Amino acid sequence: MSGRVPVVGGLAGGVGTTTVARALHGRDLGRVCGPDLLPDVVVTRDTVAGLAAAALVAPAPGPGAPGRTAATF
């Protein structure tokens, strides 16, 4: 597999950021808390507060930008 390595960041400790980064063979940023360092994948808890935090970090896509996907496991 070739291409860019995905960057994974979590919005809180213990949400599984390292697990997701390893599964994707990506780079683990640890905890991210603002739009200054936007990862390719944001990991958060499956709660209203977690999804609200994700909405603050992830910018709205611009014209022609790929969509965002949320998934829970």
Side-chain angles (χ1 to χ4, degrees):
M1 185 169 140
S2 63
R4 193 171 67 79
V5 174
V7 179
V8 182
L11 297 181
V15 296
T17 306
T18 300
T19 301
V20 172
R22 287 182 181 167
L24 297 176
H25 302 283
R27 181 174 158 222
D28 182 353
L29 289 180
R31 187 171 183 266
V32 295
C33 30
D36 297 335
L37 185 59
L38 185 63
D40 299 310
V41 178
V42 175
V43 183
T44 188
R45 288 187 176 86
D46 182 17
T47 63
V48 171
L51 295 176
L56 293 174
V57 172
R68 304 282 193 263
T69 301
T72 59
F73 302 96

